[in-house]
Amino acid sequence: MAVKDYLREKFFPHIWCPGCGHGITLNGLVRAIENIGLRKNDIVMVSGIGCSSRIVGYLDFHTLHTIHGRALAFAIGVKMSRPDLTLLVPMGDGDALSIGGNHFIHACRRNIDMTAIVMNNKVYGMTGGQYSPLSGYGTMATTAPYMNIDQDFDVVNVAAAAGATFVARTTTYHANQLVEVIQEAILHKGFSVVEVMTPCPTYFGRKNKEGSAVDMMEKLKTMTTPIGSKAKRENPSLIERGVFVKKEMPEYCAEYQKIIDRATKGN
Ligand SMILES: Cc1ncc(C[n+]2csc(CCOP(=O)(O)OP(=O)(O)O)c2C)c(N)n1
Ligand code: SF4
């Protein structure tokens, strides 16, 4: 399979603004899938609502474009009925951790085998630039014209604390690392979370005077560093990239099968 075989070319051009990072995440996902050699028919991609969630429309897998914040709930239903399929769940930061926050933490603790990709642009892009739980103190948004005073979540810390067995962070600037961590996340047997820091030049960028789309990409490079780097020790404000958690735990569908066996066969 070549990359283009995974795309629904008839739906291009895509809807994303010039400079939006969501297309780079789409590219990373497709390359990871191509490297693993997954068959299109074995993949189910489930999304909620948002610019990021539109990613499912462009990919020729089994795709479900569902309700804002509920992608994981739908994905869990699919996985429980067809554990043999590979489940991929792309979400925006609002989708995953605002309206979808409750689904997110409980999916993490259950360790069901699927990959959640949180495309974190620190804003509600689709609906016009409202602040999200990941915008951070001091940011500007259409709903915070004088300044946002909410502290933000750290996606990696939330996922790790809630029990996700694979947790990684990268950015759309680091396109090769993006492919590598998504690949590792898909191959991991359990609930995997990949945070992808990504620019929304149209809303977050304009409201926060971040400059051009290229300036925002440059910032993803300068504000991040590999886990445990010397740069991080010298400058603690840098955000670390890489794989933070990778551990083995009982997988939910496998455990559920034991319950089915117990109930039906008495063993
Ligand atoms: C139940 C419900 N509430 C609110 C909305 C409106 N809505 C659509 S997308 C969205 C937020 C999108 O932000 P995010 O998930 O961060 O994705 P982005 O567009 O930034 O990629 C909101 C609030 C909705 N569609 N459904
Ligand atoms: S509004 Fe932001 S997130 Fe949405 S497509 Fe445009 S740049 Fe991307």
Side-chain angles (χ1 to χ4, degrees):
M1 277 276 178
V3 159
K4 78 179 226 333
D5 298 322
Y6 292 112
L7 302 177
R8 290 180 181 144
E9 286 183 273
K10 66 179 177 187
F11 291 128
F12 283 79
H14 57 69
I15 61 149
W16 296 312
C17 309
C20 177
H22 293 337
I24 301 175
T25 302
L26 183 153
N27 178 61
L29 253 166
V30 173
R31 287 184 191 281
I33 289 164
E34 187 199 23
N35 289 348
I36 299 171
L38 290 172
R39 291 182 337 127
K40 291 201 284 190
N41 262 348
D42 293 335
I43 303 170
V44 185
M45 190 177 257
V46 186
S47 76
I49 302 293
C51 298
S52 38
S53 294
R54 292 295 291 260
I55 201 169
V56 297
Y58 306 119
L59 290 163
D60 200 22
F61 311 137
H62 300 291
T63 56
L64 291 168
H65 196 183
T66 69
I67 308 170
H68 189 39
R70 270 57 182 176
L72 285 169
F74 282 85
I76 289 167
V78 174
K79 184 70 180 176
M80 295 282 294
S81 62
R82 287 292 305 270
D84 54 311
L85 299 176
T86 298
L87 266 291
L88 306 175
V89 190
M91 295 174 284
D93 45 294
D95 201 45
L97 283 144
S98 188
I99 192 168
N102 210 14
H103 293 291
F104 185 83
I105 54 172
H106 293 291
C108 289
R109 100 185 142 80
R110 290 199 174 106
N111 196 36
I112 189 159
D113 184 24
M114 61 179 62
T115 301
I117 295 157
V118 181
M119 299 155 78
N120 180 10
N121 56 16
K122 308 213 286 185
V123 75
Y124 290 0
M126 175 157 271
T127 43
Q130 297 86 352
Y131 64 86
S132 92
L134 301 185
S135 299
Y137 179 90
T139 52
M140 307 298 259
T142 50
T143 43
Y146 303 105
M147 194 178 93
N148 174 28
I149 55 167
D150 281 12
Q151 300 292 339
D152 55 343
F153 277 138
D154 178 315
V155 183
V156 163
N157 288 345
V158 171
T165 51
F166 182 94
V167 184
R169 179 192 287 127
T170 186
T171 86
T172 49
Y173 178 88
H174 302 90
N176 291 336
Q177 184 183 44
L178 179 63
V179 178
E180 285 159 20
V181 292
I182 292 178
Q183 201 171 314
E184 211 176 330
I186 295 172
L187 291 172
H188 175 75
K189 190 87 185 142
F191 192 74
S192 303
V193 176
V194 178
E195 179 189 2
V196 182
M197 295 169 65
T198 182
C200 169
T202 302
Y203 288 112
F204 190 87
R206 272 205 307 221
K207 284 280 166 198
N208 290 283
K209 301 194 170 32
E210 296 244 324
S212 68
V214 176
D215 294 333
M216 291 185 80
M217 285 293 273
E218 279 285 327
K219 199 170 169 193
L220 291 175
K221 178 183 168 193
T222 54
M223 74 194 289
T224 63
T225 186
I227 295 174
S229 69
K230 183 164 171 267
K232 174 72 181 174
R233 289 193 292 280
E234 288 165 0
N235 179 3
S237 71
L238 289 174
I239 299 169
E240 288 177 297
R241 291 181 283 107
V243 177
F244 294 81
V245 177
K246 191 174 181 178
K247 61 183 181 187
E248 300 300 318
M249 292 273 286
E251 193 277 326
Y252 198 74
C253 292
E255 292 301 301
Y256 193 63
Q257 188 56 47
K258 291 182 195 164
I259 299 299
I260 295 171
D261 292 345
R262 215 172 266 179
T264 54
K265 299 174 201 151
N267 53 4

